[in-house]
Amino acid sequence: MRLTKLYALSLLLASMAAVTIPSVGAQDRLFSNEAKQKAEALLKQMTLDEKVGQLNESSGIVMPGLGSGKPDDLIANGGVGSILWQMDVKEINRLQHIAMEKSRLHIPIIFGFDVIHGYRTVFPVPLAMASSWDPSVEEQAQHLAAEDARAAGIQWTFTPMVDIARDARWGRIVEGAGEDPFLGSAMARAQVRGFQGAKLGPNSVLVCVKHFAGYGAAEGGRDYDSVYVPEELMENVYLVPFHAAEEAGAGSFMSAYMDLNEVPATGNHWLLTDVLRKEWGFQGFVLSDAFAVGSLVTHGYARDGEDAAYKAITAGLNMDMASLTYSHNLAKLVKDGKVSEKYLDEMVLPILETKYDLGLFEHPYADESKVDAILSRPEGLVLERKLASRSMVLLRNDNRALPLSKSLKKIAVIGPLGDSKQEIEGGWTVEGLFSPGGGKSHPVTILAGIKNKLGPDAQVTLVAGPMPARLYPGFMDAFSGRKPAPPPSPEEIADWIAKAKAAAADADVVVAVMGETASMSGEAASRSSLDLPGIQEQMLEAVTSAGKPVILVLENGRPLDIRWAAEHVPAILEAWYPGTEGGDAVADVLFGDVNPGGKLPVSWPRTAGSEPLYYNHTLTHEPEDAPRFTSRYWDINSKPLFPFGYGLSYSAFKFANLQLSKASIGVGGTTEVSVDVTNTGSVAGDAVAQLYIHQRYGSASRPVRQLKGFERIALQPGETKTLKFPLGKDELQYWNPQTKQWIVEPSDFDVWAGEDSTASLHAELKVTQ
Ligand code: BGC
């Protein structure tokens, strides 16, 4: 069915007086039978208002400019199902006591927060963890974060963000796994496992997969902007990691802010009911993004609050985050017969089931006496340091500029991020410095990490330079307490540059730490340019001219325009925002205690004008390196500066002996691809074997390459491992725009294996009818 028809159908359904959600049994695994029975019994005792109350998530605080008053009375009246934005465990318990003791049916509140990359121990940002190409990095980090969150009274996290991001201008690229649906799916599953465990239980933290769906395709990379994505692109790319998370047992989803093909995601029946529930069989519940139900009026989609509540609930949205639109309108809609109480019951049920399975009825309170010890566990910091160094990507290493010698005596650390605690931790942290509940973690900066590594005999000096600032402050700036300084005057710039150059001239090695401040990526943090902001590039050029070896360490939430550095600076290490122990982890890599093995989860653009840029595009004309078409632009090479999947090591790897167990299979068949990977270097290191395919012809044009398998492996010098990957229905199928179905077509397929998306080791697979 065409999208337009589905849209028409969804309008038709929405206009019916009462809509029934189709009952599907596919995600039966989500809730226990006990939870189902108890939830059904409880529902029978609930008044209409109490049911509506469960569909309301109220603001627990006071976020600058956003918070509402204390929700005490509303809770006592059964009007609150969930609270968000409350990180103080004492306050969490106080509110829970009201729910358990004063509300008629004693239904516990589920407390939600954005535990995105750690709690007090802050892990690398999600884009960094995806750069590890090791799903166990995500799983381990999120498991620890889940233990921390649960101990601190938070049972629901608004993560994973699985939005595909093909445009680095979009600030929220930092919160996801990059541009690829296959890698993104692996990272999504790992996060579901890490937070929820094998099944929802008393130790789980419920995930909320967001932002459903298509949010990353915002026009021009501008956050919150409209999205136009045809159904085939939704199915083949944008929805893929969402489906993977759902299949892994994700218990809740969050609807996105924007319009998808002119229908706001929060009131989009096609997304929330046709795809999520009917096609996939999802049985959990859907939360709106913040204020998004009320915003249906702003979108010009709903007439008023009542219409917004009607459109959202009939589209399939269970819970209203913070706008109170359900609280004010749903009961009336039921009383007026516009929404049936049976339908409302179906919306409430999964929320109650979740609360039972999470053990909230038996254990509604956090143990305040234990929280601090749990959040400060030293093993958390040890894990953080390990995962951070696993997430870094070595982009350039000319003449083996890295690793550095530990007997160096004089190092100049240059740049505003060199000693910045906020930037080490990145944007979404609960008790990190840069957060609403912040200040309780102890981040190690890169300056400190280098000093820790070299000890007191080495002279490590810092020339910071001015911290770059956004032209328009972001709302996250309000939490950091950082007041953007006015841009430096020409005299101040000259002074900083002279100081940086002098420090470089006096040092054995320069470590330039540059990039973006943490508030320059994330929500409402899109950019029109990808330059190194402020005077950083000028400082970099100045220190490079001093003639000493320069190492550039990047801290940033998106690929940046580093064309100058990529030509003139011998070594570049992408550290992203590496987390609480980030400085020590960077030093581990710089001084060779850890051999970097991360790979890019995004194609690295040369400049903002190259965006959107992604490796898995279709070929619509001759390739850009064909003789007459040397580039798609006449003023710049169309290819990325570094390709998707790219990253160096202090070792070197050889890929050989690519073989298929069967060179020809039928459409339902499977072949096994094997490839040998050898460490040809002199030190142990990690390789990431990557498998790509291309379907040469069929009833739709297929991407020039698609990742269909990967594995990160550790190899000793001289060691060879043989890796095997299946290629069968799951890998070969695609959603066909002509038949509107998932199909495997008879065709010839190219198969490549190697170190990145430009791998040349090639084989062929024939798929016959
Ligand atoms: C963001 C979500 C986040 C929510 C709650 C929204 O503005 O888009 O990603 O989970 O706020 O903090």
Side-chain angles (χ1 to χ4, degrees):
M1 211 182 305
R2 292 188 65 80
L3 195 56
T4 44
K5 281 200 195 146
L6 284 168
Y7 173 49
L9 180 66
S10 61
L11 277 188
L12 181 75
L13 285 173
S15 66
M16 286 159 62
V19 186
T20 316
I21 278 202
S23 52
V24 252
Q27 217 190 30
D28 275 345
R29 60 192 178 279
L30 191 58
F31 301 118
S32 67
N33 284 336
E34 199 190 334
K36 285 184 180 171
Q37 282 158 13
K38 285 184 170 167
E40 274 165 19
L42 179 59
L43 193 65
K44 291 203 177 98
Q45 302 172 46
M46 291 168 75
T47 63
L48 176 59
D49 285 339
E50 284 164 343
K51 290 174 187 173
V52 171
Q54 288 303 306
L55 305 184
N56 168 43
E57 176 169 70
S58 270
S59 167
I61 42 152
V62 198
M63 258 181 143
L66 297 178
S68 53
K70 292 224 178 218
D72 297 24
D73 292 345
L74 206 54
I75 298 173
N77 293 329
V80 176
S82 174
I83 295 273
L84 87 160
W85 298 325
Q86 179 51 256
M87 292 79 69
D88 175 359
V89 63
K90 286 198 169 56
E91 179 66 4
I92 286 176
N93 277 345
R94 189 188 72 79
L95 296 172
Q96 190 71 297
H97 273 288
I98 300 177
M100 297 309 289
E101 287 151 24
K102 301 212 172 127
S103 76
R104 191 180 73 91
L105 290 172
H106 318 293
I107 304 176
I109 291 168
I110 179 167
F111 288 87
F113 194 69
D114 297 273
V115 184
I116 308 286
H117 52 111
Y119 205 94
R120 184 175 301 171
T121 297
V122 179
F123 288 103
V125 291
L127 190 64
M129 289 203 260
S131 302
S132 69
W133 286 61
D134 175 3
S136 81
V137 164
E138 283 279 19
E139 189 168 344
Q140 292 174 71
Q142 303 302 33
H143 182 68
L144 192 117
E147 288 176 344
D148 286 0
R150 201 70 217 240
I154 288 177
Q155 309 91 14
W156 187 13
T157 177
F158 306 137
T159 207
M161 188 195 96
V162 304
D163 296 311
I164 296 289
R166 293 175 152 189
D167 189 333
R169 292 172 299 177
W170 189 53
R172 303 200 80 168
I173 189 172
V174 65
E175 296 177 58
E179 75 189 38
D180 186 69
F182 190 89
L183 179 66
S185 296
M187 293 298 161
R189 282 186 217 103
Q191 296 198 62
V192 175
R193 286 194 301 270
F195 275 112
Q196 291 190 178
K199 204 147 180 29
L200 280 183
N203 298 320
S204 306
V205 167
L206 177 73
V207 297
C208 190
V209 189
K210 68 188 190 186
H211 305 83
F212 197 59
Y215 184 35
E219 281 193 334
R222 290 179 297 269
D223 205 7
Y224 313 126
D225 237 329
S226 309
V227 167
Y228 289 91
V229 177
E231 197 175 1
E232 48 272 26
L233 198 53
M234 287 301 288
E235 294 282 359
N236 286 317
V237 176
Y238 288 95
L239 289 175
V240 174
F242 285 97
H243 197 188
E246 189 272 340
E247 286 188 322
S252 77
F253 271 55
M254 185 189 291
S255 70
Y257 275 133
M258 81 300 149
D259 293 352
L260 172 67
N261 303 321
E262 301 184 2
V263 182
T266 299
N268 194 310
H269 190 275
W270 178 74
L271 276 175
L272 304 185
T273 297
D274 296 334
V275 172
L276 185 60
R277 291 194 170 88
K278 280 200 204 167
E279 227 178 283
W280 299 353
F282 175 67
Q283 300 217 328
F285 64 96
V286 184
L287 167 75
S288 76
D289 204 338
F291 310 104
V293 180
S295 302
L296 293 178
V297 178
T298 318
H299 282 262
Y301 185 62
R303 185 186 58 241
D304 51 22
E306 184 181 327
D307 195 30
Y310 175 75
K311 286 192 163 124
I313 195 101
T314 53
L317 185 105
N318 305 70
M319 193 185 274
D320 169 3
M321 187 197 287
S323 85
L324 293 171
T325 308
Y326 276 7
S327 303
H328 295 151
N329 297 288
L330 270 188
K332 179 171 183 301
L333 284 168
V334 174
K335 282 180 198 147
D336 291 351
K338 291 188 179 145
V339 173
S340 75
E341 192 150 355
K342 181 169 176 298
Y343 180 80
L344 196 78
D345 286 354
E346 290 184 44
M347 290 306 206
V348 177
L349 205 58
I351 297 166
L352 300 177
E353 288 167 328
T354 302
K355 290 182 177 182
Y356 278 112
D357 269 341
L358 287 172
L360 274 173
F361 284 86
E362 291 87 27
H363 302 290
Y365 308 111
D367 184 344
E368 290 168 33
S369 68
K370 293 202 178 128
V371 179
D372 205 52
I374 292 178
L375 298 189
S376 307
R377 283 176 292 169
E379 62 265 35
L381 296 175
V382 172
L383 179 70
E384 203 293 302
R385 180 170 177 170
K386 187 176 119 199
L387 303 186
S389 61
R390 246 181 125 63
S391 303
M392 293 173 193
V393 186
L394 184 61
L395 295 176
R396 186 173 148 100
N397 195 17
D398 260 27
N399 298 322
R400 296 179 187 270
L402 288 175
L404 298 171
S405 155
K406 285 183 199 152
S407 48
L408 281 171
K409 287 285 167 270
K410 276 182 165 184
I411 296 201
V413 175
I414 308 290
L417 307 183
D419 197 28
S420 167
K421 294 189 172 179
Q422 290 177 354
E423 273 57 48
I424 274 290
E425 293 194 326
W428 267 127
T429 67
V430 191
E431 289 199 345
L433 288 186
F434 186 77
S435 66
K440 295 182 192 117
S441 73
H442 301 285
V444 181
T445 67
I446 293 180
L447 180 76
I450 293 174
K451 285 183 174 169
N452 292 344
K453 186 68 79 184
L454 295 183
D457 291 348
Q459 189 187 316
V460 186
T461 51
L462 172 76
V463 179
M467 187 63 79
R470 293 171 47 138
L471 181 57
Y472 299 100
F475 65 81
M476 295 303 270
D477 287 311
F479 303 127
S480 74
R482 177 185 280 163
K483 301 265 174 301
S489 66
E491 296 72 31
E492 285 166 326
I493 294 176
D495 188 45
W496 278 119
I497 294 212
K499 280 189 190 137
K501 204 166 167 176
D506 189 41
D508 303 325
V509 163
V510 177
V511 178
V513 186
M514 297 180 172
E516 296 179 310
T517 64
S519 74
M520 286 178 173
S521 62
E523 186 173 350
S526 294
R527 296 184 65 187
S528 69
S529 136
L530 297 175
D531 298 351
L532 276 173
I535 68 161
Q536 295 181 98
E537 180 119 355
Q538 281 165 272
M539 289 181 74
L540 187 62
E541 290 179 20
V543 296
T544 305
S545 72
K548 299 296 172 60
V550 179
I551 314 297
L552 173 62
V553 180
L554 291 170
E555 280 182 17
N556 46 326
R558 55 159 67 79
L560 295 173
D561 181 343
I562 52 165
R563 282 173 290 166
W564 188 88
E567 257 183 58
H568 299 96
V569 178
I572 306 176
L573 178 69
E574 176 55 87
W576 306 112
Y577 299 117
T580 306
E581 291 286 295
D584 282 330
V586 165
D588 287 342
V589 173
L590 293 183
F591 293 92
D593 289 332
V594 170
N595 187 352
K599 309 285 164 191
L600 292 175
V602 285
S603 303
W604 193 288
R606 289 164 197 273
T607 180
S610 313
E611 297 288 7
L613 183 72
Y614 46 95
Y615 82 97
N616 47 359
H617 58 86
T618 51
L619 194 58
T620 55
H621 198 46
E622 292 185 44
E624 60 260 18
D625 47 6
R628 281 178 306 143
F629 298 96
T630 44
S631 179
R632 289 280 193 261
Y633 298 111
W634 62 255
D635 58 350
I636 198 164
N637 185 329
S638 295
K639 292 190 171 173
L641 188 61
F642 304 110
F644 173 80
Y646 169 88
L648 300 173
S649 161
Y650 297 152
S651 204
F653 303 97
K654 192 174 133 232
F655 284 68
N657 205 15
L658 179 62
Q659 290 190 357
L660 273 57
S661 63
K662 293 177 213 149
S664 174
I665 54 173
V667 285
T670 300
T671 187
E672 190 177 66
V673 183
S674 67
V675 65
D676 295 344
V677 189
T678 305
N679 181 346
T680 57
S682 55
V683 288
D686 286 5
V688 177
Q690 302 170 34
L691 180 79
Y692 294 89
I693 64 163
H694 168 233
Q695 179 178 335
R696 288 196 196 151
Y697 52 87
S699 50
S701 177
R702 303 303 302 137
V704 291
R705 287 196 183 203
Q706 288 179 281
L707 181 73
K708 291 296 174 181
F710 68 90
E711 192 174 343
R712 179 166 173 161
I713 46 164
L715 289 168
Q716 294 301 317
E719 187 184 356
T720 299
K721 277 186 184 157
T722 302
L723 300 180
K724 295 186 191 304
F725 300 99
L727 273 187
K729 177 173 164 288
D730 287 349
E731 293 76 26
L732 300 172
Q733 69 176 356
Y734 73 102
W735 195 89
N736 185 287
Q738 304 211 56
T739 62
K740 312 281 171 202
Q741 278 171 344
W742 288 92
I743 55 166
V744 177
E745 285 186 302
S747 185
D748 296 323
F749 288 78
D750 297 296
V751 178
W752 295 271
E755 287 193 273
D756 62 43
S757 55
T758 65
S760 56
L761 189 64
H762 180 254
E764 281 178 28
L765 170 67
K766 193 173 259 314
V767 176
T768 57
Q769 192 59 58

